[in-house]
Amino acid sequence: MEEIVMRRLAIKSFHIEEVEMGSAVAIKGKKLLLNKSRIQELIDADDLITDIKLEVIEPKAKNPADYDREINTIMDIIPISTKVLGTLGEGLTHTLTGVYVMLTGVDEDGRQMHEFGSSEGRLAEQMVLGRCGTPSENDYIIHMDVTIKGGLPYDRHLPNACFKACDDFIQDIRAILKREDGRHASESHEFFDKVRPGGKKVVIVKQIAGQGAMYDNQLFSDEPSGFEGGTSIIDMCNMPMILSPNEYRDGALRALV
């Protein structure tokens, strides 16, 4: 029997070769401009947040000295992607290459935003480049460092405030990325979820954590690798979930560890 195509996912990549601070978010050719004035709005929007620092870290291949800096614990490395058509796992997704967002966090008392192990210290020693989920030595890093109010019991509300502020910042970039002309993409790829009647049934079982605080995972956010609109695996009572290959590829699972 002929194979049946269940879903089609197209991903168009736009390569960034320069990242700078500006007065508004914009993508101009291969340059990404960030709106640094947005940071104060993010601080004012959440009573748990007392400070946010934003900086651009140049690629290690270009400026190795830029990695000789002290950072708070790395909460996440986040790609910048957005849905243009359809929902997670199907339709059209735009993504930026050459740049990632790095979220770090601490509270006013110096407690790092981590669970079973922190990664604060010298950036050059705390992150291995070129692995799945980490930037390469040729990528820019947009570093957002969030400080949370001190003296509070450690629960999910604290790291989630950091994740939400960062996601709101990235959403401004996503809004611009949605409008990029796909004909100008650096790369374009198509992926298909297929059913092959009579063929072997293949399932990949991925065990994920759901114990609380930073030891959490989130599913089905509004945007690829996003935060807003997602549901914690803890709130799902750690029940098994089934994802299609394209949903997984499109960032339906977000690890908050």
Side-chain angles (χ1 to χ4, degrees):
M1 293 181 66
E2 292 186 0
E3 61 186 20
I4 302 169
V5 175
M6 302 292 291
R7 302 172 193 83
R8 169 186 172 274
L9 172 64
I11 299 179
K12 293 183 181 291
S13 303
F14 299 82
H15 192 63
I16 296 297
E17 295 181 351
E18 193 174 356
V19 180
E20 293 181 358
M21 297 296 179
S23 58
V25 176
I27 298 174
K28 297 183 177 181
K30 295 183 182 297
K31 178 187 288 188
L32 173 63
L33 296 175
L34 306 175
N35 180 10
K36 195 168 185 178
S37 63
R38 180 81 163 90
I39 295 303
Q40 189 57 50
E41 296 177 14
L42 297 175
I43 296 172
D44 296 339
D46 196 321
D47 292 338
L48 289 175
I49 296 176
T50 61
D51 190 29
I52 297 177
K53 293 182 175 64
L54 185 72
E55 56 190 354
V56 175
I57 301 175
E58 292 187 331
K60 190 172 186 180
K62 177 181 179 181
N63 185 6
D66 224 11
Y67 276 67
D68 189 17
R69 64 176 69 212
E70 294 293 317
I71 61 168
N72 288 308
T73 198
I74 300 171
M75 299 176 64
D76 206 358
I77 301 293
I78 310 161
I80 302 172
S81 304
T82 189
K83 293 307 300 183
V84 179
L85 294 171
T87 57
L88 289 178
E90 60 184 0
L92 174 62
T93 294
H94 282 181
T95 189
L96 294 183
T97 57
V99 58
Y100 287 85
V101 176
M102 178 175 72
L103 174 64
T104 61
V106 69
D107 75 1
E108 292 176 312
D109 301 325
R111 292 185 304 173
Q112 298 290 320
M113 290 291 106
H114 69 92
E115 182 64 22
F116 292 125
S118 60
S119 55
E120 77 273 16
R122 187 167 166 265
L123 176 59
E125 299 172 349
Q126 295 302 321
M127 184 163 63
V128 178
L129 301 176
R131 301 292 178 89
C132 291
T134 67
S136 76
E137 63 176 12
N138 298 308
D139 292 331
Y140 279 86
I141 295 176
I142 301 169
H143 178 202
M144 175 177 282
D145 184 56
V146 181
T147 301
I148 293 292
K149 186 181 298 182
L152 299 174
Y154 193 91
D155 62 22
R156 282 193 290 165
H157 294 93
L158 275 62
N160 282 356
C162 302
F163 284 118
K164 185 180 187 310
C166 188
D167 193 62
D168 288 347
F169 176 80
I170 296 174
Q171 192 63 33
D172 294 346
I173 305 175
R174 294 185 185 119
I176 300 297
L177 182 57
K178 287 180 190 291
R179 302 200 293 267
E180 285 294 292
D181 191 334
R183 293 173 295 182
H184 300 154
S186 307
E187 296 180 34
S188 183
H189 302 276
E190 288 186 325
F191 305 94
F192 297 91
D193 284 338
K194 299 178 180 180
V195 174
R196 297 178 176 86
K200 292 183 178 180
K201 308 300 181 184
V202 179
V203 176
I204 297 176
V205 178
K206 182 177 178 64
Q207 186 175 13
I208 63 175
Q211 294 178 336
M214 278 289 290
Y215 218 56
D216 194 3
N217 284 264
Q218 187 168 276
L219 289 161
F220 304 120
S221 302
D222 295 336
E223 295 278 14
S225 303
F227 183 80
E228 193 68 30
T231 303
S232 163
I233 194 71
I234 299 171
D235 297 332
M236 296 179 187
C237 300
N238 291 298
M239 294 296 291
M241 300 295 296
I242 297 176
L243 300 182
S244 75
N246 273 346
E247 285 175 329
Y248 186 80
R249 180 180 284 116
D250 207 19
L253 173 61
R254 171 80 181 272
L256 303 179
V257 294

